[in-house]
Amino acid sequence: MTDLAERVRKLRVRLGQACEAGGRDPGRVELLPVSKRQPMGLVREAADLGFTRFGENYVQEGVQKALEAPGLGFVLIGPLQRNKARHALTSFQEIMTVDRPELAERLRHLAEELDLVRGVWIQVDLWGEATKQGGCDATGAGLVFRALAGDPRLPVRGFMAIPPPEDARAFRAMAEMRDAWQQKLGQPLRLSMGMSADLEQAVAAGSDQVRIGTAFFGNRTAPAISRD
Ligand SMILES: *Cc1c(COP(=O)(O)O)cnc(C)c1O
């Protein structure tokens, strides 16, 4: 067994235990490997294990990987600047970091121009840590929904968040926000939260997708190509 296969095996056990402890159906919690700053060789190894979708933080790195492995899907989980929106929309299967109405409008414009359909997630930050990782507050989320205006080219999959570590109330607040919007819109919305260090807490609170980097691939080795 390769190092990666062994890590993934352990991770699956851990995720299974988290689901059991949280009373969650393991089939309803997606494991999204985060391949940022990981070499393409490891991504291919993960593909051999059956993984077909990967989270990337940096537009340029994701665009490059998508070119190298056209059979795999990459989703953007890092901040998106307007001037990279075209590249991002072209290369990524989903954009998980839509956090302001101007970006939503730009994406709608481009999706029409490029004649593309891409799932989008609204990135939420209810804790005022927005400076580094992005994310909008509850009011901002409403504005993003309004800007997306139910555009069938950009179907909203759900909310993505990075709640403060070990803050159970923060994880629960995200679940409540998801439930409220789900009811209001009458459509299912998923919740993406939980990383290597806090997947148990996220699963217990109701996360539908955990984004796992280091616990999946090991320590990140490549330098960041660009901050966005
Ligand atoms: C890097 C990153 C992850 C994965 O983090 P790990 O701690 O390595 O599991 C998940 N989500 C986002 C938004 C990230 O930037």
Side-chain angles (χ1 to χ4, degrees), residues 34 36 57 77 160 162 195-196 211-214 220:
V34 172
K36 68 171 174 223
N57 272 64
I77 62 169
M160 189 277 251
I162 309 171
M195 312 196 293
S196 293
R211 308 176 309 268
I212 310 295
T214 47
R220 289 181 267 277

Side-chain angles (χ1 to χ4, degrees), residues 117-168:
V117 174
R118 294 288 187 261
V120 295
W121 299 61
I122 299 177
Q123 186 182 355
V124 175
D125 179 352
L126 303 176
W127 311 281
E129 294 177 6
T131 40
K132 192 165 137 261
Q133 293 269 19
C136 55
D137 60 15
T139 309
L143 296 176
V144 173
F145 267 118
R146 194 189 305 168
L148 288 169
D151 189 334
R153 290 183 186 281
L154 298 177
V156 180
R157 306 285 190 225
F159 295 113
M160 189 277 251
I162 309 171
E166 320 229 346
D167 184 345

Side-chain angles (χ1 to χ4, degrees), residues 10 37 51 72 76 91 111 123 154 161 167-168 176 181 197 208 212:
K10 284 191 187 141
R37 295 174 51 211
F51 291 89
L72 299 177
L76 183 65
S91 298
Q123 186 182 355
L154 298 177
D167 184 345
E176 283 160 18
W181 274 101
D208 304 297
I212 310 295

